[in-house]
Amino acid sequence: MKNKLEVLDQQISTHTVDGIEYICITDIAKYKRSDRAAHIIGNWVSSRNTIEFLGIWEQLNNPNFKVLEFEDFKKQACLNSFTLTPKQWIAVTGAIGIVSEAGRYGGTYAQKDIAFEFASWILVEFKLYLIKEFQRLKEQEFQQMGWDIRRNLAKVSYQIYADAIKENLIPDTLSSQQVSFVYANEADLLNVALFGITAKQWREENLSLGGNMRDHANVHQLVCLANLESMNAQYIAEGLSQAQRVVKLNNIAIGQMRVLIKAANFITSQEREQGGGEL
């Protein structure tokens, strides 16, 4: 899926190729004139300054860049009759900084350094807003990635203790329905230890919210939950009863949450000091 940036009311696509993100300079060109985007890009690529910039970028980032062909283009750029398209540049020099895609949703895409340079050629103000919007998108993706990692960590820890339940608490003679009850019971043991309520109680108190209580847990709670699941697996292996385990896990949850919240408050205060007291 391609993400969208919005700069000065202009929608700009981004596209990932082999793990590298590109920004659509065709969309950027449309800000200047929507019906002449390809012509605008062609004029930009054909200028000697642009060719020099692209060539230096490729030499820094592309070990397979064809330098001799680049030098030939740079010499030809002195001629008034010289023209160059992104596809010609890519085909002749083996460039990777720009990619050209055909089709209804195609266009010319460039890695961010090149896209920012093109945006500056269009309008300096546009470049500054583009950089700001791109940074916002990256921060959003980073936060989402962090959330996914924490959720996956909780899932991995859950699998550890689920295996412990299977190996130590579930006799072979139990029916599948009884097995499901044991798992649900164990999940609620953790819910009570950390959140103070069962999953059913949470749903009854939060009818307007989707998902479950763990979907709405904060970062500190998810980290603590992952630790509790690992500890519960160990307690199950040691043969402790549910009553014994819920008390131990609750004490651990209280202690860990205090530490996590204290650490978060300390980091926040440090950031405020570095930022001159501003949020």
Side-chain angles (χ1 to χ4, degrees):
M1 178 180 292
K2 296 181 180 180
N3 293 315
K4 289 280 188 179
L5 304 171
E6 184 168 341
V7 181
L8 299 178
D9 296 325
Q10 176 66 40
Q11 293 284 325
I12 301 172
S13 299
T14 65
H15 184 35
T16 301
V17 180
D18 296 330
I20 300 173
E21 191 157 36
Y22 291 78
I23 299 173
C24 184
I25 62 174
T26 297
D27 289 341
I28 296 175
K30 288 179 180 178
Y31 176 78
K32 188 170 185 179
R33 186 169 174 179
S34 60
D35 62 336
R36 299 279 286 172
H39 181 74
I40 291 170
I41 294 173
N43 286 342
W44 176 70
V45 172
S46 299
S47 73
R48 181 181 175 86
N49 287 340
T50 298
I51 292 173
E52 288 182 342
F53 174 83
L54 294 176
I56 293 172
W57 188 95
E58 293 289 344
Q59 289 179 73
L60 291 173
N61 296 279
N62 181 6
N64 298 317
F65 181 62
K66 300 175 182 178
V67 179
L68 294 179
E69 286 77 357
F70 154 62
E71 292 292 342
D72 186 49
F73 275 140
K74 191 165 65 171
K75 292 177 182 178
Q76 293 182 55
C78 298
L79 303 175
N80 293 332
S81 60
F82 175 72
T83 60
L84 182 64
T85 66
K87 287 185 177 181
Q88 289 173 330
W89 169 256
I90 296 166
V92 175
T93 66
I96 61 172
I98 294 178
V99 296
S100 185
E101 297 187 350
R104 181 179 177 185
Y105 299 103
T108 301
Y109 289 76
Q111 291 195 28
K112 64 182 181 67
D113 296 333
I114 299 172
F116 294 157
E117 181 71 12
F118 177 66
S120 180
W121 185 78
I122 294 293
L123 181 67
V124 173
E125 180 185 11
F126 193 93
K127 172 188 177 180
L128 296 176
Y129 279 107
L130 175 62
I131 292 173
K132 184 176 181 180
E133 177 67 4
F134 185 79
Q135 290 173 337
R136 182 199 63 77
L137 178 64
K138 293 297 101 184
E139 290 171 1
Q140 184 181 48
E141 290 178 351
F142 180 78
Q143 291 172 359
Q144 182 61 45
M145 179 181 68
W147 177 263
D148 290 340
I149 289 173
R150 289 186 289 272
R151 284 290 286 167
N152 288 334
L153 175 62
K155 290 178 181 178
V156 170
S157 296
Y158 173 81
Q159 188 60 51
I160 293 173
Y161 102 88
D163 289 343
I165 294 171
K166 183 177 180 180
E167 293 173 4
N168 297 278
L169 297 183
I170 304 176
D172 293 336
T173 55
L174 286 182
S175 68
S176 59
Q177 184 177 2
Q178 289 171 315
V179 170
S180 298
F181 175 78
V182 173
Y183 278 111
N185 199 11
E186 281 299 317
D188 262 343
L189 182 146
L190 293 177
N191 291 334
V192 171
L194 177 58
F195 302 105
I197 57 176
T198 65
K200 181 180 179 181
Q201 289 172 325
W202 184 90
R203 287 194 298 271
E204 291 174 346
E205 295 175 5
N206 298 275
L207 297 176
S208 61
L209 297 178
N212 57 51
M213 67 170 71
R214 300 187 184 195
D215 293 323
H216 296 275
N218 61 37
V219 174
H220 310 310
Q221 290 169 326
L222 286 174
V223 172
C224 185
L225 179 61
N227 293 334
L228 292 183
E229 287 174 339
S230 297
M231 292 302 302
N232 195 32
Q234 180 61 36
Y235 292 153
I236 289 172
E238 292 174 2
L240 298 183
S241 68
Q242 281 193 340
Q244 292 173 311
R245 285 184 281 121
V246 73
V247 173
K248 285 180 172 290
L249 293 171
N250 181 244
N251 289 332
I252 292 173
I254 292 171
Q256 289 195 0
M257 288 300 294
R258 285 174 177 169
V259 171
L260 289 168
I261 292 173
K262 183 177 180 180
N265 290 336
F266 174 77
I267 292 172
T268 300
S269 64
Q270 291 292 100
E271 291 176 344
R272 287 177 178 173
E273 290 178 4
Q274 295 174 1
E278 296 181 359
L279 292 176

